[in-house]
Amino acid sequence: MTEPRPQVWPTLVATDARVLIRFLVDAFGFTETVVHGDDTGVAHAELAWPLGGGIMLGDVKDGGLWKLQPGTFGCYVVADDIDALHERAVRAGADILRAPYDTDYGSRDFAARDPEGNLWQFGTYRGTPA
């Protein structure tokens, strides 16, 4: 059975989307799926998460409909090997807010901030089935 393509896309904006894309790929392991833009910036990009799902992002634009501010995004991302991902993020220069720890509900997590100021929590907790 093929996994369904994501239908809900967390979305963020950046002051420099190309730099943020490179960081998210290098530090956390997202995969660059598509980047639309030109020399003036990124209009739309999609990054896939290896375990499923993804995010969309682009450069912030004055006067646009999407009135998000860079650095105000937060996301919980499911990952399998938290300690290895933490080490990868450290090597790539991520601002680690909380080193790997075990939660009282059975998850192993860590928290980091990307260069734009967005918050990322990675953990093994996969949520409660619907």
Side-chain angles (χ1 to χ4, degrees), residues 70-117:
T72 61
F73 178 78
C75 192
Y76 179 84
V77 182
V78 174
D80 288 327
D81 190 341
I82 295 302
D83 295 291
L85 181 56
H86 170 261
E87 288 305 316
R88 177 183 182 149
V90 167
R91 284 192 308 274
D95 178 14
I96 303 300
L97 302 175
R98 189 162 182 197
Y101 65 99
D102 295 318
T103 70
D104 59 357
Y105 51 89
S107 185
R108 182 131 178 98
D109 291 19
F110 83 93
R113 184 182 350 257
D114 69 31
E116 292 273 343

Side-chain angles (χ1 to χ4, degrees), residues 31 34 37 44 50-51 53 55 66 69 74 77 93 96 100-101 104 120 122-123:
T31 302
V34 66
H44 171 83
L51 297 181
I55 60 171
W66 210 245
Q69 295 300 310
V77 182
I96 303 300
Y101 65 99
D104 59 357
W120 297 88
F122 294 90

Side-chain angles (χ1 to χ4, degrees), residues 13-72:
V13 296
T15 55
D16 190 335
R18 291 189 196 283
V19 169
L20 183 56
I21 290 165
R22 191 79 269 125
F23 176 83
L24 296 175
V25 168
D26 294 344
F28 300 146
F30 280 91
T31 302
E32 185 179 308
T33 305
V34 66
V35 176
H36 297 286
D38 55 26
D39 292 340
T40 65
V42 175
H44 171 83
E46 296 173 18
L47 302 181
W49 183 242
L51 297 181
I55 60 171
M56 292 182 182
L57 68 139
D59 286 305
V60 66
K61 295 180 185 76
D62 289 332
L65 177 66
W66 210 245
K67 304 262 186 234
L68 300 175
Q69 295 300 310
T72 61

